[in-house]
Each structure stands twice: as C-alpha cells, then as structure tokens.
Amino acid sequence: MNFLSTFVTFKSLHEVWRLCHWGPVIALSVIAICSTMAMLDSIIWYWPLDTTGGSINFIMLLNWTVLILYNYFNAMFVGPGYIPLGWKPENQHDIQYLQYCRVCQGYKAPRSHHCRKCNRCVMKMDHHCPWINNCCGHVNHAYFTSFLLLAPLGCLHAAIIFVMTMYTQLYERISFGWSTVKIDMSAVRQFQPLMPFSMPAFAATLFALGLALGTTIAVGMLFFIQMKVILRNKTSIESWIEEKAKDRIQHYQTGEEFIFPYDLGTRFLNFKQVFTWSGTPKGDGIEWPVHPKCHQHTLTIEQLKQKADKRVRSQVQYRAVEDYNGACCPLGKGVQTFFRTPCTEEPRIPLSKGDTILATRGTKWWMYGDKVLNEDQMIAGERIRGWFPRRCVEKCHYDTASSESTSDKKLN
C-alpha cells in the first residue's frame, strides 16, 4: 500500500468508485488498447527487443504509459480541492461580497464554484471532466493538464508504430499499381517476425491506429485550450465570467473598466501558479495573489452584479403544458427533440402539467431553467434546475412586477 501511495493518492475507498463510470472506462480502455498494441507490434513485427533501437523504442512506450497513467490517476484521485463545509471568511465584513451555497451550508470562497456532480464547492473550479469522473480545479489542475499533453504524445508515438508495422508487413502483399516504383525494404527485413501478420492482427492494428489518431487530435486540442487559460491564470469558468462582464458593461454603458484580478502580468508567473517542481500548486485555494488595481473580491463582486443582471435580463417564466419524465432522449417529444438533446451531463428536470419554470437559456429544441418551488421546498433550500423540451412549455403572460418579485424570492 505504501508503494501504491507514492504513485496515486486517494483519501478513502469511496474514491475508487470513480472508476465505475463510462468516462474512466473509455479513457482507460483507449490507453490500454493503444499501449498494448504498440508494444506487441514493435516486439513481434516491427522492431524486436534484441536490437538497440527496439529496446529504446520499447522503453519509450513503457515510459509514455507510466507517465500518462500517473497523471491520469492523480488527476482523478487527488481531486481539485474542496472548500470546507460551512466555510465563512475570517473577516465577517467580507460576507457581503460572497455568494452563499445552500448545499454546502457555507460561503463560496473567491474562484470557487459549486459542482452538482461532486456536490461540493470546488477550489478554483475549471470544469467537471467526465473522463476522470471528477472536477478539474486548484489541486489537480497540473496533473490534468500534464495528462492532456502526454496522452497525445504517447498516442502519436503509437500511431507511428502502427503505420510502420502495416507498411513493413503489407508492402509485398498489396499492389498499388505502381509497377515502376521499387522501394528498398532490406533494412526492415533483417529479422524474421515472431509470427505471421494475419488479418486479425491487421484489423487490431488498424483499429488501434484510429484510436491513437483520434486521441491525438481531440486531447491535443483540449491541451491547447487549457494552456491558453493557464497562461492567463484563468479557468474556463472565469473566461466566461470575463466575457459576461464586458457584455454587461457594454449593455448598460456604465463606463466601468473590468480588470481580471488574477492575471499576474506575465505568462511565466501565471504558469508557475499551476505548475511547480513539488507538484503542489501555489496558494491555499482561498486567498490569491491579485493585480495591483484589484482586491480579493473583485471577481466575486462582478459575479454578484451578473447574478442580479441575470434576474432582469435572462429569466422568462414558462408554464408546462405537457408532462415530461426527465428522459435524456425522450421518444415521445418529436424526432428533432430526440436527436438534438443537449450534449452535456447537466440534469434534465421532470415536468408535470401546470409547473412553472424560470428559463435562463436554451436552444431551438431544449430549454434550461429553474423550477419554481413551493414555500416549504424553498425554506428547505431545495433547488431543481436542468434541461427540458421546449415543446413541453409555453411562455406565460404575467405582470412584470410580480414576476420580478417571484424571481428575487427564488434566487435570494
């Protein structure tokens, strides 16, 4: 157990159950298939271990696999870091600048957000990643980003092995109509393969090549997206908050100047906030170094302004005219509703005829919003929000003043 703890850290056996989710199952399956096939192709058909180059190649493949799994499991089991339940700032005066989380029964520290999947307020939350079945946040941001870098590099190496294996084993068997082209393959024919390159072997190699190339492109793009925000000392959520701040200022013509408070001025300083030699990010996840013109609550004050603005501009009241059971892809709500379901892990909310919903956003076929609850549910701190088919609701015609009163009561 001590040996394992040097590689992967998890606080309790409950954390192991994070593996029982479609995201880790698919991710680990891709890693296993690509690494196993690359090693088998190298040893059996392409570059045997009794050569210097083959040995180095095999060690590199093992190295990629170990590094990828090390960062993957640490991103999953170390976790993002959570705000303590019932947390309050030391200075009670600062409470006015913070949002209160009813689920965690405490205040949200600067840069923290509540994750409905983890059911906790996460330090410097970037997003909830289904592939690690955990949030990416303050503590595991470096592990997660390192995984996004190493996975494409390892898959690119494996893809080269797959291509060269098929090329060296099939060049004599397949005619491309190039009768005048003669390729000298004597260099790669200096050894006898351990077994024939059969059709199943070709199919497995071709399948692994598709996985490797797809992973290289998809995960590589995610790496560049992450590095873009890290070099500005932001998270994906904070980038969105900054965009909304500019939109709010432009809409109301307030003349304010919004300065993102956590950008330290240079990419290198921002980079060092996440990546350190010890592997532990700087800071305690609650207080942060800020721009000279800002303070600890610059961003939280902007969030409160946006929340108030959202009540005025975004929420429209709808009434349910059809029952909806909360299915992800409802069969009885039309073909377009079925195929255009939002590609997100955000919940769907069941509706009964007559329910009232405050919608905040939507697409042509789906809407997202909060269900208006009764007084007992509101006192208990319940909140039901999620997606529902647009065809199940109709816009209410109601008095604006009473609407704003209802909305304030719901969200305060």
Side-chain angles (χ1 to χ4, degrees):
M1 189 67 182
N2 291 334
F3 174 76
L4 288 175
S5 66
T6 61
F7 291 95
V8 179
T9 302
F10 50 89
K11 298 178 181 178
S12 65
L13 290 176
H14 172 72
E15 296 291 328
V16 180
W17 287 101
R18 291 190 182 277
L19 293 168
C20 302
H21 181 265
W22 62 266
V25 169
I26 294 176
L28 292 173
S29 297
V30 171
I31 294 171
I33 292 172
C34 290
S35 60
T36 302
M37 284 303 303
M39 293 177 191
L40 290 177
D41 281 7
S42 295
I43 296 172
I44 299 175
W45 294 296
Y46 178 58
W47 217 342
L49 291 177
D50 57 4
T51 64
T52 302
S55 299
I56 294 174
N57 175 68
F58 185 77
I59 292 173
M60 288 182 64
L61 288 172
L62 279 177
N63 180 63
W64 289 126
T65 304
V66 170
L67 288 176
I68 289 169
L69 290 176
Y70 170 78
N71 285 282
Y72 178 83
F73 284 126
N74 273 294
M76 178 187 293
F77 293 129
V78 171
Y82 301 107
I83 300 297
L85 296 174
W87 179 83
K88 295 180 180 180
E90 293 182 3
N91 186 351
Q92 296 300 309
H93 177 73
D94 294 338
I95 287 178
Q96 62 181 314
Y97 305 128
L98 302 174
Q99 298 184 67
Y100 184 78
C101 178
R102 293 178 177 176
V103 177
C104 298
Q105 295 294 304
Y107 289 89
K108 299 179 183 179
R111 310 192 80 176
S112 68
H113 302 273
H114 186 84
C115 174
R116 290 191 299 273
K117 293 292 182 181
C118 299
N119 206 34
R120 290 290 299 275
C121 286
V122 177
M123 294 178 177
K124 204 186 83 168
M125 179 178 174
D126 186 89
H127 67 288
H128 184 92
C129 178
W131 305 111
I132 63 172
N133 194 22
N134 207 340
C135 277
C136 173
H138 173 59
V139 179
N140 65 351
H141 205 170
Y143 290 122
F144 180 77
T145 308
S146 298
F147 165 73
L148 296 184
L149 170 64
L150 293 167
L153 293 178
C155 286
L156 186 60
H157 184 184
I160 295 172
I161 298 297
F162 299 145
V163 171
M164 293 306 298
T165 298
M166 291 187 290
Y167 177 65
T168 56
Q169 296 301 313
L170 299 178
Y171 82 101
E172 289 181 342
R173 308 184 194 182
I174 301 177
S175 173
F176 296 97
W178 300 341
S179 56
T180 59
V181 178
K182 184 65 176 178
I183 302 176
D184 183 11
M185 297 296 293
S186 58
V188 296
R189 283 301 188 186
Q190 294 177 357
F191 74 95
Q192 186 66 29
L194 298 180
M195 60 185 294
F197 192 66
S198 61
M199 182 58 69
F202 169 73
T205 300
L206 189 62
F207 177 70
L209 175 61
L211 289 179
L213 292 178
T215 302
T216 300
I217 295 171
V219 181
M221 291 175 63
L222 293 177
F223 169 73
F224 283 110
I225 292 172
Q226 280 297 311
M227 286 306 300
K228 183 178 179 181
V229 295
I230 286 175
L231 292 177
R232 298 176 182 176
N233 203 11
K234 297 179 183 177
T235 65
S236 301
I237 294 176
E238 289 167 352
S239 295
W240 176 236
I241 293 173
E242 185 180 28
E243 288 299 318
K244 290 194 293 184
K246 295 175 181 178
D247 176 68
R248 181 186 63 80
I249 292 171
Q250 182 179 8
H251 178 79
Y252 291 106
Q253 297 293 314
T254 60
E256 301 174 62
E257 179 188 9
F258 178 77
I259 299 175
F260 183 73
Y262 306 114
D263 189 342
L264 301 183
T266 67
R267 293 181 178 181
F268 182 64
L269 289 176
N270 292 336
F271 180 85
K272 289 198 301 181
Q273 290 294 306
V274 175
F275 294 95
T276 61
W277 289 111
S278 65
T280 303
K282 292 185 177 180
D284 59 2
I286 294 178
E287 293 189 4
W288 309 90
V290 295
H291 189 278
K293 295 183 179 181
C294 303
H295 54 81
Q296 286 293 321
H297 301 101
T298 297
L299 193 67
T300 60
I301 292 173
E302 175 59 33
Q303 289 177 261
L304 291 173
K305 291 179 180 179
Q306 292 181 11
K307 187 175 181 180
D309 182 43
K310 181 180 179 181
R311 299 174 191 173
V312 176
R313 288 206 287 163
S314 300
Q315 292 197 338
V316 181
Q317 191 165 323
Y318 286 81
R319 181 180 294 106
V321 294
E322 294 182 20
D323 292 338
Y324 166 56
N325 61 5
C328 181
C329 300
L331 293 172
K333 302 302 179 183
V335 176
Q336 293 286 2
T337 302
F338 179 85
F339 286 106
R340 299 292 183 88
T341 183
C343 298
T344 173
E345 285 199 335
E346 291 177 312
R348 274 61 171 170
I349 54 173
L351 298 178
S352 300
K353 212 169 184 179
D355 285 346
T356 303
I357 309 98
L358 294 173
T360 57
R361 52 191 165 102
T363 66
K364 186 176 181 180
W365 306 101
W366 289 80
M367 300 190 73
Y368 185 92
D370 291 79
K371 183 185 287 188
V372 176
L373 306 178
N374 59 44
E375 189 172 349
D376 292 337
Q377 291 174 311
M378 292 173 64
I379 293 175
E382 293 186 32
R383 187 176 187 182
I384 302 176
R385 60 178 177 175
W387 292 93
F388 52 90
R390 184 181 285 270
R391 62 172 286 174
C392 293
V393 297
E394 65 178 13
K395 190 173 181 179
C396 296
H397 299 283
Y398 54 89
D399 179 70
T400 303
S402 64
S403 161
E404 291 179 356
S405 175
T406 304
S407 176
D408 288 344
K409 187 177 180 181
K410 170 71 177 68
L411 292 174
N412 281 331

